[in-house]
Amino acid sequence: MSGKRGLVMGVANNRSIAWGIAKAAHAHGAKIALTYQGEPLRKRVEPLAAELDAAVVGHCDVTDPATIDAVFAETERQLGGLDFLVHAIAFSDKNELDGRYVDTTADNFSKTMLISCYSFTAVAQRAEKLMTDGGSMLTLTYYGAEKWMPHYNVMGVAKAALEASVRYLAADLGPKNIRVNAISAGPIKTLAASGIGDFRYILKWNELNAPLRRTVTIDEVGNTGMYLLSDLGRAVTGEVHHVDAGYHIVGMKNPDAPDLTLDRD
Ligand SMILES: NC(=O)c1ccc[n+]([C@@H]2O[C@H](COP(=O)([O-])OP(=O)(O)OC[C@H]3O[C@@H](n4cnc5c(N)ncnc54)[C@H](O)[C@@H]3O)[C@@H](O)[C@H]2O)c1
């Protein structure tokens, strides 16, 4: 990653998956820029950026296109161009990440799709202009895009659309040697994940039933990110790569795993 310049969007705190990727990129010699969403997160992101000698290129709320333009202009000013982009952004109303998908409202459906799916295309449009010598774009998805998961609901629908957009963006940008991939991460306790109903149960279920009999860390997602963002993955595009301790190959509960009781406090 030495000599590569990357914009990492989606650091909220030191538990964020984006932070795991930013740390790995820095450790491998990349120059990083970070964005933050709103003032409360600026106070968290600035000290983290200092740890990586990273630029902070401003506030970005992907529902406000002017803020996307502003952070890309600042990235160009500070880094001079881009070799990679990390999009680790998702949002849905917490009330609809519990219970039944069929009860999703039109308003939250649109908002979830805009923030969790379209925003990757919106940032890809800007990043393409800065990737004058090829590049690599990476987003984050979850197995709930492929299979039903309890409470994932509209976010599962948005992630399915996000995975489809990875393929369409990869086809559009491939002729410019810009690669587009996703990591499908296993469940990790982050701020965003805390909004999902019965998340502790989901974590425990994965730990007991994944082939590696454990969950994954942000550092492990970060390390796999290096393969997709660096020249190691230079022939890989349009891919959804699972980093989930193998959970996605499982078809049935491990018979040796104990039965779990639902703990909702
Ligand atoms: N934690 C998990 O179990 C898990 C598993 C698979 C995929 N993912 C995905 O990883 C990505 C990162 O999430 P995380 O788990 O690290 O949680 P996180 O809360 O640390 O990060 C989510 C980020 O999204 C940003 N965001 C939300 N709405 C935004 C908006 N309107 N404009 C700009 N930014 C906005 C937040 O500021 C935050 O930085 C998400 O796409 C999430 O769906 C998470």
Side-chain angles (χ1 to χ4, degrees):
M1 299 294 284
S2 184
K4 291 201 189 292
R5 303 152 300 174
L7 176 62
V8 179
M9 309 181 79
V11 175
N13 54 41
N14 62 4
R15 285 177 291 129
S16 296
I17 293 175
W19 177 240
I21 299 172
K23 278 192 298 177
H26 171 72
H28 286 272
K31 175 71 187 166
I32 311 282
L34 302 178
T35 60
Y36 57 84
Q37 183 198 7
E39 273 307 292
L41 290 188
R42 182 173 69 82
K43 295 191 187 72
R44 290 190 178 273
V45 170
E46 280 181 349
L48 291 174
E51 284 181 34
L52 304 186
D53 195 23
V56 179
V57 290
H59 158 68
C60 179
D61 184 325
V62 294
T63 63
D64 177 357
T67 66
I68 310 179
D69 287 333
V71 294
F72 274 89
E74 187 59 20
T75 300
E76 183 171 24
R77 204 180 65 77
Q78 293 210 33
L79 302 188
L82 270 185
D83 302 294
F84 66 94
L85 170 76
V86 177
H87 170 275
I89 291 173
F91 179 82
S92 186
D93 181 346
K94 197 172 182 297
N95 296 323
E96 298 194 8
L97 296 177
D98 206 4
R100 308 190 315 163
Y101 167 72
V102 71
D103 298 323
T104 305
T105 60
D107 185 45
N108 186 50
F109 186 95
S110 304
K111 196 170 184 186
T112 305
M113 289 294 271
L114 176 68
I115 298 174
S116 314
C117 176
Y118 179 71
S119 68
F120 185 46
T121 300
V123 297
Q125 287 168 358
R126 276 84 170 177
E128 177 190 4
K129 297 191 178 75
L130 301 190
M131 291 181 172
T132 49
D133 193 23
S136 179
M137 302 183 185
L138 181 65
T139 188
L140 271 300
T141 184
Y142 178 57
Y143 193 45
E146 301 168 61
K147 303 284 180 188
W148 172 84
M149 286 287 171
H151 310 302
Y152 206 56
N153 296 352
V154 61
M155 191 59 90
V157 175
K159 291 297 194 193
L162 178 69
E163 291 183 11
S165 70
V166 164
R167 293 184 280 274
Y168 279 83
L169 291 168
D172 284 349
L173 301 177
K176 293 190 169 175
N177 196 27
I178 298 172
R179 300 182 292 105
V180 185
N181 294 290
I183 286 179
S184 184
I188 303 174
K189 201 166 182 300
T190 61
L191 198 61
S194 65
I196 299 165
D198 296 327
F199 191 72
R200 271 189 297 173
Y201 180 89
I202 294 168
L203 270 180
K204 193 72 190 164
W205 181 275
N206 274 258
E207 187 187 313
L208 293 170
N209 291 287
L212 297 180
R213 300 286 188 270
R214 63 177 183 85
T215 54
V216 302
T217 67
I218 61 168
D219 295 322
E220 289 168 336
V221 175
N223 286 338
T224 303
M226 293 311 99
Y227 154 65
L228 292 168
L229 294 176
S230 76
D231 295 346
L232 288 175
R234 65 182 175 271
V236 181
T237 194
E239 190 72 284
V240 177
H241 188 103
H242 295 87
V243 181
D244 64 351
Y247 185 79
H248 68 285
I249 64 150
V250 169
M252 195 180 145
K253 177 183 170 292
N254 162 26
D256 296 332
D259 289 327
L260 290 179
T261 46
L262 210 49
D263 172 12
R264 284 197 164 133
D265 38 76

